[in-house]
Amino acid sequence: MQNRMMITGAGSGLGREIALRWAREGWQLALSDVSEPGLQETLKLVREAGGDGFIQRCDVRDYSQLTAFAQACEEKLGGIDVIVNNAGVASGGFFSELSLEDWDWQIAINLMGVVKGCKAFLPLLEKSKGKIINIASMAALMQGPAMSNYNVAKAGVVALSESLLIELAHEEVSVHVVCPSFFQTNLLDSFRGPTPAMKAQVGKLLESSPITAADIADYIYQQVAAGEFLILPHEQGRMAWAIKQKDPQLLYNEMTVMADKMRAKAKQNAG
């Protein structure tokens, strides 16, 4: 069939925009999120855009909820062709300030949620010779300061995607990983960090982005169609990645300067 897609974190932000981009092509969408009202709104917009589908509340930390969601896709859509592991949360804070609970929460959702999504839906994808689209972040490649738990979780998503790319080639299941930089989104709704100043700094970066979630969804659509594995939607992100590949130390030096500035700003705000 090749027109059935599952999206986690579809109740808002990038997940919703991905749903709408594929809906415009007439796709059937299986939408999940922890927010029921968000899902209902997305489904309404999907139908207006020319798609259809169903919603199911799902917390990606719970594997049994993901397997139940996969079962629902089989029952209602007869299978699945593309999965988008998009559900994620934001966090920040210097390593010394982050608690182990902050680490557990971040890894459970942003990394293990993706692992569990891939695991739960793999049998259906093997049947349909489908596609996996994992949403990581430029943080996976750039490791900015004061977000070590987020960086590690997202880097894990890239490593997982690389592993699956190689292993699933034999099954004719294709794999893509997306690393957006900051963009206008509601990621801050879930933000968890030790200081309010950190949240404000991240908020400024998100707001100042020239690129919207809809732009990113459209870029993903085009790059997946072109068969691209590593999808970098931001021009600046592509440039930064090219610099890091050529001269990593240059980037580390820049990040160290950024970390010093952040510390100074935090002290100033505290004072």
Side-chain angles (χ1 to χ4, degrees):
M1 277 175 76
Q2 298 301 314
N3 66 350
R4 303 159 300 183
M5 173 184 259
M6 173 287 266
I7 307 169
T8 64
S12 61
L14 183 57
R16 173 177 288 172
E17 293 301 338
I18 290 171
L20 294 178
R21 181 63 189 85
W22 265 264
R24 292 204 290 277
E25 310 297 324
W27 279 53
Q28 296 284 312
L29 298 154
L31 308 166
S32 79
D33 200 288
V34 288
S35 159
E36 236 157 320
L39 280 176
Q40 276 157 0
E41 178 65 16
T42 301
L43 185 59
K44 180 174 150 284
L45 294 168
V46 155
R47 286 176 173 152
E48 286 166 9
D52 201 3
F54 73 95
I55 60 174
Q56 188 156 318
R57 191 189 176 282
C58 181
D59 184 333
V60 296
R61 287 174 291 188
D62 184 344
Y63 185 61
S64 66
Q65 289 184 32
L66 280 159
T67 53
F69 186 35
Q71 206 176 339
C73 289
E74 194 161 27
E75 285 162 12
K76 294 177 182 183
L77 306 177
I80 212 80
D81 302 296
V82 180
I83 67 165
V84 184
N85 289 303
N86 164 74
V89 289
S91 63
F94 284 101
F95 183 74
S96 56
E97 304 164 326
L98 292 170
S99 68
L100 289 177
E101 286 72 26
D102 291 333
W103 276 89
D104 288 342
W105 175 76
Q106 180 57 240
I107 301 250
I109 299 169
N110 282 7
L111 175 56
M112 289 310 297
V114 177
V115 171
K116 290 170 184 175
C118 290
K119 191 90 177 144
F121 279 84
L122 186 57
L124 293 181
L125 292 170
E126 286 175 339
K127 275 184 202 161
S128 65
K129 310 286 184 207
K131 296 183 193 324
I132 294 171
I133 304 173
N134 290 331
I135 308 298
S137 164
M138 274 316 285
L141 307 175
M142 293 293 123
Q143 289 88 39
M147 46 200 285
S148 56
N149 59 346
Y150 186 79
N151 294 341
V152 168
K154 292 297 191 177
V157 173
V158 172
L160 169 71
S161 305
E162 289 177 332
S163 306
L164 295 178
L165 173 74
I166 296 155
E167 289 188 24
L168 299 179
H170 176 69
E171 307 294 336
E172 294 174 62
V173 172
S174 61
V175 180
H176 310 267
V177 64
V178 185
C179 293
S181 308
F182 290 108
F183 61 95
Q184 294 154 25
T185 178
N186 63 335
L187 198 59
L188 275 197
D189 296 353
S190 68
F191 186 90
R192 189 186 281 197
T195 62
M198 188 66 66
K199 185 169 181 172
Q201 280 181 8
V202 174
K204 273 187 194 148
L205 286 167
L206 295 174
E207 281 163 25
S208 66
S209 168
I211 188 169
T212 65
D215 296 331
I216 291 174
D218 190 52
Y219 189 81
I220 294 169
Y221 183 86
Q222 292 165 25
Q223 294 293 300
V224 167
E228 197 63 47
F229 166 67
L230 180 63
I231 299 173
L232 308 178
H234 290 69
E235 180 66 36
Q236 266 182 311
R238 294 193 286 275
M239 281 158 53
W241 178 228
I243 290 167
K244 184 174 180 181
Q245 287 174 296
K246 210 166 156 185
D247 187 356
Q249 193 59 49
L250 192 68
L251 205 84
Y252 302 147
N253 294 345
E254 213 173 293
M255 293 290 188
T256 307
V257 171
M258 197 197 288
D260 290 341
K261 280 183 186 163
M262 288 167 93
R263 279 197 195 91
K265 202 165 190 178
K267 258 188 197 152
Q268 205 180 327
N269 291 338

